Amino acid sequence: MREPVKYFAFNKKTDFLRGASYNIKFLSPGIGIDDPDKGKGIFFSRLLDSGEKKTKWHRLLVDKASYTESSIRFYIFSSDSRYLEYEGREYEIGSLLTDMSIDYELKHTMLEPFMVRSCLDPEDLLLFDVEGRYLWFEIEFAPHHNSLPEI
């Protein structure tokens, strides 16, 4: 018997507004780099909760709007707990993801123990080895000359 499929979609501005972004502009639909002179753009999703521990995630589909020399890297994170400890302090991951007072590089470092996959320019990424009640992701947009990535 097949298990029921659960999914999350990020295809509206409100979906992206529930995450945290650095040098990102909202498109209709999707997101991309706001100011290429500031370098890369970073987006952290909200904490996605399947409601069940040890959930086996299925796949990530990305509709890349621009096929250019620029790049888009996805970092996939997963855990059965919504808490992490960093330098002796406990953080709730959902709050951490959307906290704009924390620099994105520090945020990435804090979340690194939960990273299960990193992929450059994915379109259809199978996640069968990704397991945990909670899933979240980081997207790094890297411009190349005047070429700007968008999804």
Side-chain angles (χ1 to χ4, degrees):
M1 182 175 196
R2 286 184 58 161
E3 294 181 29
V5 174
K6 298 177 184 178
Y7 66 92
F8 296 95
F10 282 71
N11 56 11
K12 297 183 297 292
K13 183 176 180 178
T14 54
D15 298 324
F16 292 105
L17 286 172
R18 292 178 66 192
S21 59
Y22 305 82
N23 193 28
I24 293 291
K25 67 180 173 183
F26 300 98
L27 308 168
S28 183
I31 57 177
I33 290 179
D34 184 37
D35 183 354
D37 293 333
K38 293 182 180 177
K40 63 185 170 184
I42 303 290
F43 173 78
F44 286 93
S45 73
R46 69 185 185 275
L47 186 66
L48 305 172
D49 183 356
S50 71
E52 297 177 26
K53 287 189 174 196
K54 299 201 181 295
T55 294
K56 292 188 185 298
W57 297 89
H58 179 64
R59 72 197 297 191
L60 172 72
L61 294 171
V62 179
D63 186 8
K64 190 171 176 184
S66 60
Y67 291 90
T68 63
E69 294 178 4
S70 57
S71 66
I72 299 171
R73 178 171 294 280
F74 272 75
Y75 299 94
I76 310 295
F77 304 86
S78 177
S79 176
D80 272 328
S81 173
R82 65 182 306 128
Y83 297 94
L84 68 84
E85 188 174 314
Y86 183 77
E87 294 186 348
R89 184 172 166 208
E90 186 175 76
Y91 294 85
E92 195 274 325
I93 295 170
S95 298
L96 173 68
L97 289 169
T98 58
D99 187 341
M100 292 299 293
S101 70
I102 299 175
D103 177 77
Y104 70 83
E105 290 174 338
L106 174 58
K107 195 178 289 190
H108 181 90
T109 299
M110 294 170 75
L111 297 168
E112 214 163 17
F114 302 97
M115 187 188 313
V116 291
R117 181 79 62 79
S118 170
C119 185
L120 185 63
D121 294 323
E123 289 182 43
D124 189 354
L125 181 62
L126 296 177
L127 301 175
F128 293 128
D129 58 335
V130 177
E131 185 177 293
R133 175 176 175 167
Y134 302 100
L135 179 83
W136 64 98
F137 56 88
E138 173 187 353
I139 309 171
E140 180 181 282
F141 296 83
H144 181 74
H145 302 295
N146 290 330
S147 177
L148 302 177
E150 299 175 355
I151 59 169

Coordinates of all heavy atoms in Angstrom, one line a residue, residues 8-72:
F8 N 4.9 20.5 -0.2 CA 4.8 21.9 0.0 C 5.2 22.6 -1.3 O 6.0 22.1 -2.0 CB 5.9 22.3 1.1 CG 5.6 21.7 2.4 CD1 6.2 20.5 2.8 CD2 4.8 22.4 3.3 CE1 6.0 20.0 4.1 CE2 4.6 21.8 4.6 CZ 5.2 20.7 5.0
A9 N 4.5 23.7 -1.6 CA 4.8 24.4 -2.8 C 5.2 25.8 -2.4 O 4.7 26.4 -1.5 CB 3.6 24.4 -3.7
F10 N 6.2 26.3 -3.1 CA 6.6 27.7 -3.0 C 6.4 28.3 -4.4 O 7.3 28.2 -5.3 CB 8.1 27.8 -2.6 CG 8.4 27.6 -1.2 CD1 8.3 26.3 -0.6 CD2 8.7 28.6 -0.3 CE1 8.5 26.1 0.7 CE2 9.0 28.4 1.0 CZ 8.8 27.1 1.6
N11 N 5.3 28.9 -4.6 CA 5.0 29.5 -5.9 C 4.3 30.8 -5.9 O 3.8 31.3 -6.9 CB 4.2 28.5 -6.8 CG 2.9 28.0 -6.1 OD1 2.5 28.6 -5.1 ND2 2.3 27.0 -6.7
K12 N 4.1 31.4 -4.7 CA 3.5 32.7 -4.5 C 4.4 33.6 -3.6 O 5.2 33.1 -2.8 CB 2.2 32.6 -3.8 CG 1.1 31.8 -4.6 CD -0.2 31.7 -3.9 CE -0.2 31.1 -2.6 NZ 0.0 29.7 -2.5
K13 N 4.3 34.8 -3.8 CA 5.1 35.8 -3.0 C 4.9 35.5 -1.5 O 5.9 35.5 -0.7 CB 4.7 37.2 -3.3 CG 5.5 38.3 -2.6 CD 5.2 39.7 -3.0 CE 6.0 40.7 -2.3 NZ 5.7 42.1 -2.8
T14 N 3.7 35.2 -1.1 CA 3.5 35.0 0.4 C 4.3 33.7 0.9 O 4.7 33.7 2.0 CB 2.0 34.8 0.7 OG1 1.5 33.7 -0.2 CG2 1.2 36.1 0.5
D15 N 4.5 32.7 0.0 CA 5.3 31.6 0.4 C 6.7 32.0 0.7 O 7.3 31.5 1.7 CB 5.3 30.5 -0.7 CG 4.0 30.0 -1.1 OD1 3.2 29.8 -0.1 OD2 3.7 29.7 -2.2
F16 N 7.3 32.9 -0.1 CA 8.7 33.3 0.1 C 8.8 34.3 1.2 O 9.8 34.4 1.9 CB 9.2 33.9 -1.2 CG 9.4 32.9 -2.3 CD1 8.5 32.8 -3.4 CD2 10.4 32.0 -2.3 CE1 8.7 31.9 -4.4 CE2 10.6 31.0 -3.2 CZ 9.7 31.0 -4.3
L17 N 7.7 35.1 1.4 CA 7.8 36.1 2.5 C 7.8 35.4 3.9 O 8.2 36.0 4.9 CB 6.5 37.0 2.5 CG 6.6 38.1 1.4 CD1 5.3 38.8 1.3 CD2 7.7 39.1 1.6
R18 N 7.4 34.2 4.0 CA 7.4 33.4 5.3 C 8.8 32.9 5.6 O 9.0 32.4 6.7 CB 6.4 32.3 5.2 CG 5.0 32.8 5.2 CD 4.0 31.7 5.1 NE 4.0 30.9 6.3 CZ 3.3 29.8 6.4 NH1 2.7 29.3 5.4 NH2 3.4 29.1 7.6
G19 N 9.8 33.1 4.7 CA 11.2 32.7 4.9 C 12.0 34.0 5.2 O 11.4 35.0 5.7
A20 N 13.3 33.9 5.0 CA 14.2 35.1 5.2 C 15.0 35.2 4.0 O 15.5 34.2 3.4 CB 15.1 34.9 6.5
S21 N 15.2 36.5 3.6 CA 16.0 36.7 2.4 C 17.0 37.8 2.6 O 16.8 38.7 3.3 CB 15.1 37.0 1.2 OG 14.3 38.1 1.4
Y22 N 18.1 37.7 1.9 CA 19.2 38.6 1.9 C 19.5 38.9 0.4 O 19.9 38.0 -0.3 CB 20.4 38.1 2.6 CG 20.2 37.6 4.0 CD1 19.6 36.3 4.2 CD2 20.4 38.4 5.1 CE1 19.4 35.9 5.5 CE2 20.2 37.9 6.4 CZ 19.6 36.7 6.6 OH 19.4 36.2 7.8
N23 N 19.4 40.2 0.0 CA 19.6 40.6 -1.4 C 18.8 39.8 -2.4 O 19.2 39.4 -3.4 CB 21.1 40.5 -1.7 CG 21.4 41.2 -3.0 OD1 20.8 42.2 -3.4 ND2 22.5 40.8 -3.7
I24 N 17.5 39.7 -2.0 CA 16.6 38.9 -2.9 C 15.4 39.8 -3.2 O 14.9 40.6 -2.4 CB 16.0 37.7 -2.1 CG1 17.1 36.6 -2.0 CG2 14.8 37.1 -2.8 CD1 17.6 36.0 -3.2
K25 N 14.9 39.7 -4.5 CA 13.7 40.4 -4.9 C 12.7 39.4 -5.2 O 12.9 38.3 -5.6 CB 14.0 41.4 -6.1 CG 14.3 40.7 -7.4 CD 14.5 41.6 -8.5 CE 15.0 40.9 -9.7 NZ 15.3 41.8 -10.8
F26 N 11.4 39.8 -5.0 CA 10.3 39.0 -5.3 C 9.8 39.2 -6.7 O 9.6 40.4 -7.1 CB 9.2 39.2 -4.2 CG 9.7 38.9 -2.9 CD1 10.1 39.9 -2.0 CD2 9.7 37.6 -2.4 CE1 10.5 39.6 -0.7 CE2 10.2 37.3 -1.1 CZ 10.6 38.3 -0.3
L27 N 9.7 38.2 -7.4 CA 9.2 38.3 -8.8 C 7.8 37.7 -8.9 O 7.2 37.2 -7.9 CB 10.1 37.4 -9.7 CG 11.6 37.8 -9.6 CD1 12.5 36.7 -10.3 CD2 11.9 39.1 -10.1
S28 N 7.2 37.7 -10.0 CA 5.9 37.2 -10.1 C 5.8 36.1 -11.2 O 5.7 36.5 -12.4 CB 4.9 38.3 -10.5 OG 3.6 37.8 -10.5
P29 N 6.0 34.9 -10.9 CA 6.2 34.3 -9.6 C 7.7 34.1 -9.4 O 8.5 34.3 -10.3 CB 5.6 32.9 -9.7 CG 5.8 32.5 -11.2 CD 5.7 33.8 -11.9
G30 N 8.1 33.7 -8.2 CA 9.5 33.4 -7.9 C 10.3 34.5 -7.2 O 9.8 35.5 -6.7
I31 N 11.6 34.2 -7.2 CA 12.6 35.1 -6.6 C 13.9 35.2 -7.4 O 14.2 34.2 -8.2 CB 12.9 34.7 -5.1 CG1 13.4 33.3 -5.0 CG2 11.7 34.9 -4.2 CD1 13.8 32.9 -3.6
G32 N 14.7 36.2 -7.2 CA 16.0 36.3 -7.8 C 16.8 37.4 -7.1 O 16.4 37.9 -6.1
I33 N 18.0 37.6 -7.5 CA 18.9 38.6 -6.9 C 18.4 40.0 -7.1 O 17.9 40.4 -8.2 CB 20.3 38.5 -7.5 CG1 20.9 37.1 -7.1 CG2 21.2 39.6 -7.1 CD1 22.3 36.9 -7.6
D34 N 18.4 40.8 -6.0 CA 17.9 42.1 -6.1 C 18.9 43.1 -6.6 O 18.7 43.8 -7.6 CB 17.5 42.6 -4.6 CG 16.9 44.0 -4.6 OD1 16.2 44.3 -5.6 OD2 17.2 44.7 -3.7
D35 N 20.2 43.1 -6.1 CA 21.2 44.0 -6.5 C 22.5 43.2 -6.8 O 23.2 42.8 -5.9 CB 21.4 45.1 -5.4 CG 22.5 46.1 -5.8 OD1 23.1 46.0 -6.9 OD2 22.6 47.1 -5.0
P36 N 22.8 43.0 -8.1 CA 24.0 42.2 -8.4 C 25.3 42.8 -7.9 O 26.3 42.1 -7.7 CB 24.0 42.1 -9.9 CG 23.0 43.2 -10.4 CD 22.1 43.5 -9.2
D37 N 25.3 44.1 -7.6 CA 26.5 44.8 -7.1 C 26.8 44.4 -5.6 O 27.9 44.5 -5.2 CB 26.4 46.3 -7.1 CG 26.4 46.8 -8.6 OD1 27.0 46.1 -9.5 OD2 25.7 47.9 -8.8
K38 N 25.8 43.8 -5.0 CA 26.0 43.3 -3.6 C 26.4 41.9 -3.6 O 26.5 41.3 -2.5 CB 24.7 43.5 -2.8 CG 24.3 44.9 -2.5 CD 23.0 45.0 -1.7 CE 22.6 46.4 -1.4 NZ 21.3 46.5 -0.7
G39 N 26.6 41.3 -4.7 CA 27.0 39.9 -4.8 C 25.8 38.9 -4.7 O 24.8 39.2 -5.3
K40 N 26.0 37.8 -4.0 CA 25.0 36.7 -4.0 C 23.8 37.1 -3.3 O 23.8 38.0 -2.4 CB 25.6 35.4 -3.5 CG 26.1 35.5 -2.1 CD 26.8 34.2 -1.7 CE 27.5 34.3 -0.4 NZ 28.2 33.1 -0.1
G41 N 22.7 36.4 -3.6 CA 21.5 36.5 -2.8 C 21.2 35.2 -2.1 O 21.6 34.1 -2.6
I42 N 20.6 35.3 -0.9 CA 20.4 34.1 -0.1 C 18.9 34.1 0.3 O 18.3 35.1 0.7 CB 21.2 34.1 1.2 CG1 22.7 34.2 0.9 CG2 20.9 32.9 2.1 CD1 23.3 33.0 0.2
F43 N 18.3 32.9 0.3 CA 16.9 32.7 0.8 C 16.9 31.5 1.7 O 17.4 30.4 1.3 CB 15.9 32.5 -0.4 CG 14.6 32.1 0.1 CD1 13.7 33.1 0.6 CD2 14.1 30.8 0.1 CE1 12.5 32.8 1.1 CE2 12.9 30.5 0.6 CZ 12.0 31.5 1.1
F44 N 16.3 31.7 2.9 CA 16.1 30.5 3.8 C 14.6 30.3 3.8 O 13.8 31.3 4.1 CB 16.5 30.8 5.2 CG 18.0 30.8 5.4 CD1 18.8 31.9 5.3 CD2 18.7 29.6 5.7 CE1 20.2 31.9 5.4 CE2 20.0 29.6 5.9 CZ 20.8 30.7 5.7
S45 N 14.1 29.1 3.6 CA 12.7 28.8 3.7 C 12.2 28.8 5.1 O 13.0 28.8 6.0 CB 12.4 27.4 3.1 OG 12.9 26.4 4.0
R46 N 11.0 28.8 5.3 CA 10.4 28.5 6.6 C 10.6 27.1 7.0 O 11.0 26.2 6.1 CB 8.9 28.9 6.7 CG 8.0 27.9 5.9 CD 6.6 28.4 5.8 NE 5.7 27.5 5.2 CZ 5.5 27.4 3.9 NH1 6.1 28.2 3.1 NH2 4.7 26.5 3.4
L47 N 10.4 26.7 8.2 CA 10.5 25.3 8.7 C 9.2 24.6 8.2 O 8.1 25.0 8.5 CB 10.6 25.3 10.2 CG 10.8 24.0 10.9 CD1 12.2 23.5 10.5 CD2 10.7 24.1 12.4
L48 N 9.4 23.5 7.4 CA 8.3 22.7 6.9 C 8.1 21.6 7.8 O 9.1 20.8 8.1 CB 8.6 22.3 5.5 CG 9.0 23.4 4.5 CD1 9.5 22.9 3.2 CD2 7.8 24.4 4.3
D49 N 6.9 21.4 8.3 CA 6.6 20.3 9.3 C 5.7 19.3 8.7 O 4.5 19.6 8.3 CB 5.9 21.0 10.5 CG 5.6 20.0 11.6 OD1 5.9 18.8 11.5 OD2 5.2 20.4 12.7
S50 N 6.2 18.0 8.5 CA 5.4 17.0 8.0 C 4.3 16.4 9.0 O 3.4 15.7 8.6 CB 6.3 15.8 7.5 OG 6.8 15.2 8.7
G51 N 4.6 16.7 10.3 CA 3.7 16.2 11.3 C 4.1 14.8 11.8 O 3.5 14.3 12.7
E52 N 5.1 14.2 11.2 CA 5.4 12.8 11.6 C 7.0 12.7 11.6 O 7.7 13.1 10.7 CB 4.9 11.8 10.6 CG 3.4 11.7 10.5 CD 2.9 10.8 9.4 OE1 3.7 9.8 9.1 OE2 1.8 11.0 8.9
K53 N 7.5 12.1 12.7 CA 8.9 11.8 12.8 C 9.3 10.8 11.7 O 8.5 10.0 11.3 CB 9.3 11.3 14.2 CG 9.2 12.4 15.2 CD 9.8 11.8 16.5 CE 9.9 13.0 17.5 NZ 10.7 12.7 18.6
K54 N 10.6 11.0 11.3 CA 11.2 10.1 10.4 C 10.5 10.1 9.0 O 10.5 9.1 8.3 CB 11.3 8.6 10.9 CG 12.2 8.6 12.2 CD 12.7 7.2 12.4 CE 13.5 7.1 13.6 NZ 14.8 7.8 13.6
T55 N 9.9 11.2 8.7 CA 9.3 11.3 7.3 C 10.4 11.1 6.3 O 11.4 11.7 6.4 CB 8.6 12.7 7.2 OG1 7.5 12.8 8.1 CG2 8.1 12.9 5.8
K56 N 10.1 10.4 5.3 CA 10.9 10.2 4.1 C 10.4 11.2 3.0 O 9.3 11.0 2.5 CB 10.9 8.8 3.6 CG 11.6 7.8 4.6 CD 11.7 6.4 4.0 CE 12.3 5.4 5.0 NZ 13.6 5.7 5.5
W57 N 11.3 12.2 2.8 CA 10.9 13.2 1.8 C 11.1 12.6 0.4 O 12.0 11.8 0.2 CB 11.7 14.5 2.0 CG 11.3 15.0 3.4 CD1 11.9 14.7 4.6 CD2 10.3 15.9 3.7 NE1 11.3 15.4 5.6 CE2 10.3 16.2 5.1 CE3 9.3 16.6 2.9 CZ2 9.4 17.0 5.7 CZ3 8.4 17.4 3.5 CH2 8.4 17.6 4.9
H58 N 10.4 13.1 -0.6 CA 10.4 12.5 -1.9 C 11.3 13.2 -2.9 O 12.3 12.7 -3.4 CB 9.0 12.4 -2.4 CG 8.8 11.8 -3.8 ND1 9.2 10.5 -4.1 CD2 8.4 12.4 -4.9 CE1 8.9 10.3 -5.4 NE2 8.5 11.4 -5.9
R59 N 11.0 14.5 -3.2 CA 11.7 15.2 -4.3 C 11.5 16.7 -4.2 O 10.6 17.2 -3.5 CB 11.3 14.7 -5.6 CG 9.9 15.2 -6.1 CD 9.3 14.4 -7.2 NE 10.0 14.5 -8.4 CZ 9.5 14.1 -9.6 NH1 8.3 13.6 -9.6 NH2 10.2 14.3 -10.7
L60 N 12.4 17.4 -4.8 CA 12.4 18.8 -4.9 C 12.4 19.2 -6.4 O 13.3 18.8 -7.1 CB 13.6 19.4 -4.3 CG 13.8 20.9 -4.5 CD1 12.8 21.7 -3.6 CD2 15.2 21.3 -4.0
L61 N 11.4 19.8 -6.8 CA 11.3 20.3 -8.2 C 11.5 21.8 -8.3 O 10.9 22.5 -7.5 CB 9.9 20.0 -8.8 CG 9.5 18.5 -9.0 CD1 8.1 18.4 -9.4 CD2 10.4 17.9 -10.0
V62 N 12.4 22.2 -9.2 CA 12.7 23.7 -9.3 C 12.4 24.1 -10.7 O 12.9 23.5 -11.6 CB 14.2 23.9 -8.9 CG1 14.5 25.4 -9.1 CG2 14.5 23.4 -7.5
D63 N 11.6 25.2 -10.8 CA 11.4 25.8 -12.1 C 12.3 27.0 -12.2 O 12.0 28.0 -11.7 CB 9.9 26.2 -12.2 CG 9.5 26.7 -13.5 OD1 10.3 26.6 -14.5 OD2 8.4 27.2 -13.7
K64 N 13.4 26.7 -12.9 CA 14.4 27.8 -13.0 C 14.0 28.7 -14.2 O 13.9 28.3 -15.3 CB 15.8 27.1 -13.3 CG 16.9 28.1 -13.2 CD 18.3 27.3 -13.3 CE 19.4 28.3 -13.3 NZ 20.7 27.6 -13.5
A65 N 13.8 30.0 -13.8 CA 13.3 30.9 -14.8 C 14.4 31.4 -15.8 O 14.1 31.8 -16.9 CB 12.7 32.1 -14.1
S66 N 15.7 31.3 -15.3 CA 16.7 31.8 -16.2 C 17.9 30.8 -16.3 O 18.4 30.4 -15.3 CB 17.3 33.1 -15.7 OG 17.8 33.0 -14.4
Y67 N 18.1 30.4 -17.5 CA 19.2 29.4 -17.8 C 20.4 30.2 -18.3 O 20.5 30.5 -19.5 CB 18.8 28.4 -18.8 CG 17.8 27.5 -18.2 CD1 16.4 27.8 -18.3 CD2 18.1 26.3 -17.5 CE1 15.5 26.9 -17.7 CE2 17.2 25.5 -16.9 CZ 15.8 25.8 -17.1 OH 14.9 25.0 -16.5
T68 N 21.2 30.6 -17.3 CA 22.3 31.5 -17.7 C 23.6 31.0 -17.1 O 23.6 29.9 -16.5 CB 22.1 32.9 -17.1 OG1 22.0 32.8 -15.6 CG2 20.8 33.5 -17.6
E69 N 24.7 31.7 -17.2 CA 26.0 31.3 -16.6 C 26.0 31.5 -15.1 O 26.9 31.0 -14.4 CB 27.1 32.1 -17.2 CG 27.3 31.8 -18.7 CD 28.4 32.7 -19.3 OE1 29.1 33.5 -18.5 OE2 28.6 32.6 -20.5
S70 N 25.0 32.1 -14.5 CA 24.9 32.3 -13.1 C 24.5 30.9 -12.5 O 24.1 30.0 -13.2 CB 23.9 33.3 -12.8 OG 22.6 33.0 -13.4
S71 N 24.5 30.8 -11.2 CA 24.2 29.5 -10.6 C 23.3 29.7 -9.4 O 23.2 30.7 -8.8 CB 25.5 28.8 -10.1 OG 26.1 29.5 -9.1
I72 N 22.6 28.6 -9.1 CA 21.7 28.5 -7.9 C 22.1 27.2 -7.2 O 22.1 26.1 -7.8 CB 20.2 28.4 -8.4 CG1 19.8 29.7 -9.2 CG2 19.3 28.2 -7.2 CD1 18.5 29.6 -9.8

